[in-house]
């Protein structure tokens, strides 16, 4: 069936050319060309342990993607690893173009020894994001890096230009080889109970830690203000971020300018990104930068606290004294109240000149409601994670490929997944649900786990309208914030609680909805939302790219040209 791709090749080229021409005509965009050579490196050693680390062009973390609203990014990825590889662009909405999303449901993997070029646009977006490898548990080995999408010059930024900007990728890290961990996830203690070993800042170990060979440090000048773009690139742990004797002015999160609030510390959950302004208004010395994990006894596990240094250019003293106090790591009320206080700045523009508040949810009509509960599940004696007791597993054929060429027939069954109830028994499934095109979707995330879960929707930003404890009922809508809810792509869900979001499904495609906790995602806590527009006009949804990779039932070298018989697998 490989001929399917070639049959439509001419149309793909024509439609793609027309679409790109149209986009260029309407925006002051440039093309950014990047060449990435991705490899496993055992000499990087972010901590003093021999383990494979995924590098890009020899770098860990990977290189910055520095773009402006509406730019086209071309990333030619050369896979020099020994396993198939994909990258996803966390928070980049891939407007009308889920073909470039880079997850197993949309793309065939880049095979070892080959290369493939992503082409995507930062359409109508600004803000702080990051990328990471999305399959084979690769994120636990690195391969992540920062993305900045800057405002066009004609759009005002709602704060004075900082002296400089710093990308700060913070995340938990394990001393174990990622392949060993991937295999060990078949055992309950590793799947459910294991903790990471350390927290890295920009791939460097904590200041003063016995396993650290170099720590992260930022040099500032007294009296100047700096923008820190902070992302939680970890696999499991939320953290509280703070800088000794300095306050944080929160200004942006995942493409939304926020009401500017001054904080002593900020909780950042797995997969989230924030911008804070820090003014160097203290005496010229060095100060601790701290990332302490939530729901972890840091007195007992002090070595897991991430530490860097804010270094004044004329500093005359090293960091000293106790670490700055943060909130009790088990005080979830602090975290919930802070989350509720993060509001959308309604008076400023973002990617466009009209104020963010032009788009509000105070008078919308809901088209659909999904109530999704993340939970543990045991299936055939193996530990798994699930949504509504369905543990997702991945076929060799990407859903988007099957959807385009076969309308999904023989690969998945649309809307067989429960969206408002929990199945009595846990089972595997290929969870694909319909999202109403240009309809408003309400998603209520429920958390029956004993950790802070974190949920992400590709293709969209969603309005975070509510947090609550215990059971969610429709009556809880009366406590939603419908005036100025912040718009973002990743939201936390607290243990025993719920989080409600609204999303306007104006972006056709096959979109991954997942837990950002890597073990949970890998072991089945995910699904896909299919937003379908029957109009074949490429201005409504882009056709497959000219360099489309075929795999699964569409690649005769991989599998027979027939629908697969789904069998449970551990992950990707």
């Amino acid at each position: 069936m490989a001929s399917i791709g070639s049959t439509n090749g001419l149309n793909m080229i024509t439609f793609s050319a027309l679409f790109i021409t149209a986009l260029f005509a309407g925006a002051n965009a440039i093309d950014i060309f990047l060449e990435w050579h991705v490899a496993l490196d055992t000499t990087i050693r972010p901590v003093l342990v021999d383990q494979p680390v995924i590098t890009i062009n020899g770098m860990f973390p990977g290189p910055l993607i520095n773009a402006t609203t509406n730019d086209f990014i071309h990333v030619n990825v050369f896979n020099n690893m020994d396993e198939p590889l994909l990258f996803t662009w966390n928070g980049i909405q891939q407007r009308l173009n889920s073909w470039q999303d880079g997850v197993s449901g949309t793309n065939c993997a880049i095979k070892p020894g080959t290369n493939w070029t992503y082409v995507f646009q930062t359409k109508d977006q600004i803000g702080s994001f990051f990328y990471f490898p999305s399959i084979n548990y690769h994120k636990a080995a690195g391969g992540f890096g920062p993305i900045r999408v800057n405002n066009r010059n004609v759009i005002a930024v709602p704060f004075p230009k900082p002296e400089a900007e710093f990308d700060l990728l913070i995340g938990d890290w394990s001393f174990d080889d990622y392949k060993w961990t991937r295999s060990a996830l078949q055992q309950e203690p590793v799947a459910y109970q294991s903790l990471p070993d350390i927290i890295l800042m920009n791939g460097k170990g904590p200041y003063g830690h016995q396993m650290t060979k170099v720590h992260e440090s930022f040099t500032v000048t007294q009296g100047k203000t700096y923008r820190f773009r902070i992302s939680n690139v970890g696999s499991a742990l939320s953290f509280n971020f703070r800088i000794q004797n300095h306050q944080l002015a929160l200004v942006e999160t995942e493409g939304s300018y926020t009401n500017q609030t001054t904080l002593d510390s900020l909780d950042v959950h797995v997969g989230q990104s924030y911008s804070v302004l820090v003014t160097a208004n203290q005496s010229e010395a060095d100060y601790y930068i701290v990332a302490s994990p939530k729901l972890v006894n840091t007195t007992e596990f002090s070595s897991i606290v991430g530490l860097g240094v804010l270094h004044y250019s004329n500093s005359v003293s090293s960091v000293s004294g106790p670490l700055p106090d943060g909130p009790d790591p088990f005080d979830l009320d602090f975290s919930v109240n802070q989350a509720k206080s993060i509001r959308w700045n309604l008076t400023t523009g973002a990617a466009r000149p009209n104020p963010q508040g032009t788009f509000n949810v105070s008078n919308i009509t809901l088209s659909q409601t999904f109530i999704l509960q993340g939970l543990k599940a045991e299936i055939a004696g193996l530990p798994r994670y699930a949504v509504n007791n369905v543990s997702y597993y991945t076929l060799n054929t990407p859903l988007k490929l099957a959807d385009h060429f076969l309308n999904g027939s023989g690969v998945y069954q649309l809307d067989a997944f429960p969206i408002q109830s929990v199945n009595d028994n846990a089972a595997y499934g290929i969870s694909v649900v319909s999202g109403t095109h240009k309809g408003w979707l309400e998603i209520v995330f429920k958390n029956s786990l004993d950790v802070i879960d974190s949920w992400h929707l590709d293709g969209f930003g969603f309005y975070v309208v509510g947090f609550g404890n215990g059971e969610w009922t429709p009556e809880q809508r009366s406590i939603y914030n419908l005036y100025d809810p912040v718009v973002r792509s990743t939201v936390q869900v607290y243990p025993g609680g719920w989080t409600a979001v609204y999303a306007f499904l104006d972006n056709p495609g096959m979109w991954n909805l997942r837990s950002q906790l890597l073990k949970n995602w890998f072991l089945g806590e995910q699904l896909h939302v299919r937003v379908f527009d029957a109009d074949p006009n490429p201005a409504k949804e882009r056709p497959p790219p000219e360099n489309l990779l075929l795999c699964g039932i569409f690649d005769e070298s991989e599998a027979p040209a027939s629908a697969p018989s789904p069998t449970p697998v551990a992950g990707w």
Side-chain angles (χ1 to χ4, degrees):
M1 296 182 69
S3 59
I4 290 177
S6 58
T7 301
N8 293 291
L10 182 59
N11 288 337
M12 290 178 201
I13 295 170
T14 303
F15 286 155
S16 295
L18 288 172
F19 187 78
I20 291 174
T21 300
L23 287 171
F24 268 118
N28 297 318
I30 65 170
D31 285 277
I32 297 173
F33 293 91
L34 304 171
E35 184 172 297
W36 286 2
H37 294 266
V38 184
L40 285 174
D41 191 324
T42 58
T43 67
I44 292 287
R45 302 182 79 200
V47 290
L48 297 178
V49 174
D50 292 325
Q51 60 183 157
V53 174
I54 297 176
T55 61
I56 301 173
N57 298 342
M59 299 170 59
F60 170 68
L64 168 68
I65 296 178
N66 194 14
T68 298
T69 302
N70 296 333
D71 285 350
F72 287 88
I73 316 298
H74 305 248
V75 188
N76 190 0
V77 176
F78 290 79
N79 181 7
N80 299 323
M81 296 174 55
D82 58 357
E83 297 182 324
L85 173 71
L86 280 176
F87 280 96
T88 194
W89 323 93
N90 200 68
I92 301 298
Q93 293 181 7
Q94 306 293 351
R95 300 295 302 173
L96 312 179
N97 195 18
S98 65
W99 296 103
Q100 307 292 333
D101 198 33
V103 294
S104 62
T106 57
N107 292 92
C108 297
I110 306 167
K111 295 180 180 179
T114 69
N115 67 295
W116 192 72
T117 301
Y118 292 89
V119 183
F120 60 90
Q121 188 185 26
T122 53
K123 177 69 173 170
D124 290 336
Q125 285 191 267
I126 56 95
S128 306
F129 311 96
F130 65 95
Y131 59 83
F132 65 89
S134 66
I135 60 173
N136 287 326
Y137 211 71
H138 286 157
K139 188 187 178 194
F144 43 75
I147 302 174
R148 299 181 193 174
V149 183
N150 304 293
N151 286 73
R152 292 180 291 151
N153 289 334
V154 296
I155 309 298
V157 176
F159 48 85
K161 183 177 176 63
E163 180 70 12
E165 299 192 13
F166 300 122
D167 301 296
L168 183 47
L169 306 184
I170 304 175
D172 53 74
W173 188 260
S174 172
F175 296 159
D176 296 319
D177 183 319
Y178 79 95
K179 292 182 180 179
W180 179 90
T181 303
R182 185 174 66 192
S183 176
L185 287 173
Q186 305 306 309
Q187 304 166 27
E188 188 170 309
V190 177
Y192 294 156
Q193 301 168 22
S194 60
L195 274 177
D197 295 296
I198 206 164
I199 287 179
L200 305 182
M201 293 186 175
N202 285 342
K204 301 170 184 175
Y207 173 86
H209 193 284
Q210 61 182 0
M211 300 293 287
T212 297
K213 61 180 182 180
V214 60
H215 65 270
E216 185 58 294
S217 178
F218 299 96
T219 299
V220 298
T221 300
Q222 190 178 47
K224 303 294 186 180
T225 297
Y226 298 83
R227 181 177 184 174
F228 283 80
R229 295 178 183 258
I230 305 161
S231 294
N232 186 334
V233 296
S235 299
L237 298 177
S238 302
F239 61 76
N240 177 265
F241 177 84
R242 53 198 184 273
I243 300 177
Q244 185 180 23
N245 292 357
H246 291 73
Q247 291 188 309
L248 316 173
L250 177 64
V251 295
E252 179 259 334
T253 180
E254 297 162 28
S256 290
Y257 288 124
T258 63
N259 286 341
Q260 295 178 24
T261 55
T262 301
L263 306 171
D264 293 321
S265 68
L266 174 66
D267 281 359
V268 186
H269 304 279
V270 178
Q272 292 185 338
S273 297
Y274 285 97
S275 285
V276 298
L277 301 180
V278 178
T279 299
N281 56 8
Q282 299 299 305
S283 59
E284 293 181 319
D286 288 359
Y287 299 89
Y288 287 115
I289 300 173
V290 182
S292 58
K294 308 291 291 184
L295 297 185
V296 174
N297 186 335
T298 52
T299 301
E300 182 179 352
F301 297 99
S302 60
S303 64
I304 205 172
V305 176
L307 288 179
V309 174
L310 186 71
H311 171 73
Y312 279 57
S313 56
N314 293 322
S315 172
V316 294
S317 62
S318 301
V319 289
S320 62
L323 299 184
D325 289 334
D328 184 318
F330 296 94
D331 182 1
L332 292 184
D333 287 339
F334 166 88
S335 192
V336 172
N337 290 333
Q338 184 178 85
K340 291 179 178 179
S341 75
I342 297 171
R343 303 296 183 93
W344 220 23
N345 185 333
L346 300 183
T347 62
T348 187
R352 297 182 179 185
N354 44 318
Q356 291 178 151
T358 303
F359 316 98
N360 69 80
V361 295
S362 58
N363 294 307
I364 61 98
T365 299
L366 293 173
S367 300
Q368 297 172 280
T369 295
F370 296 170
I371 303 172
L372 307 177
Q373 183 167 343
L375 39 76
K376 297 176 182 176
E378 182 178 302
I379 303 176
L382 297 174
R384 291 290 178 264
Y385 288 89
V387 185
N388 293 354
N389 246 348
V390 178
S391 184
Y392 184 89
Y393 66 92
T394 302
L395 300 172
N396 289 331
T397 304
L399 303 174
K400 182 61 180 172
L401 207 63
D403 190 51
H404 180 79
F405 291 125
L406 298 175
N407 199 31
S409 176
V411 176
Y412 68 86
Q413 183 180 350
L414 188 64
D415 295 325
F417 173 78
I419 56 172
Q420 293 192 348
S421 61
V422 178
N423 284 350
D424 291 337
N425 299 306
Y428 294 105
I430 307 168
S431 310
V432 183
V433 298
S434 295
T436 302
H437 182 231
K438 293 191 175 179
W440 281 96
L441 169 64
E442 175 188 41
I443 309 176
V444 180
F445 298 109
K446 299 171 65 176
N447 184 4
S448 66
L449 307 172
D450 55 3
V451 298
I452 301 173
D453 207 348
S454 188
W455 277 89
H456 176 90
L457 176 59
D458 285 350
F460 304 91
F462 42 50
Y463 295 75
V464 183
V465 296
F467 296 91
N469 294 317
E471 285 298 312
W472 179 88
T473 64
E475 289 71 30
Q476 303 287 348
R477 292 179 180 135
S478 66
I479 65 171
Y480 284 2
N481 168 30
L482 301 182
Y483 175 67
D484 57 356
V486 73
V487 179
R488 62 186 317 153
S489 61
T490 300
V491 70
Q492 69 273 26
V493 192
Y494 296 97
W498 55 265
T499 299
V501 302
Y502 287 174
F504 183 56
L505 302 184
D506 61 343
N507 193 14
M510 183 72 71
W511 302 109
N512 189 233
L513 177 58
R514 63 177 177 267
S515 172
Q516 293 276 49
L517 276 59
L518 187 58
K519 290 190 298 185
N520 300 42
W521 185 17
F522 186 79
L523 293 177
E525 194 181 341
Q526 64 167 311
L527 61 143
H528 286 79
V529 180
R530 179 183 184 262
V531 181
F532 181 68
D533 181 2
D535 189 340
N537 185 342
K540 299 295 183 68
E541 182 182 6
R542 287 194 63 175
E546 299 167 34
N547 62 347
L548 179 69
L549 293 176
L550 299 179
C551 58
I553 64 173
F554 300 107
D555 186 347
E556 293 170 348
S557 69
E558 274 197 24
S562 60
S565 298
T567 54
V569 294
W572 300 289

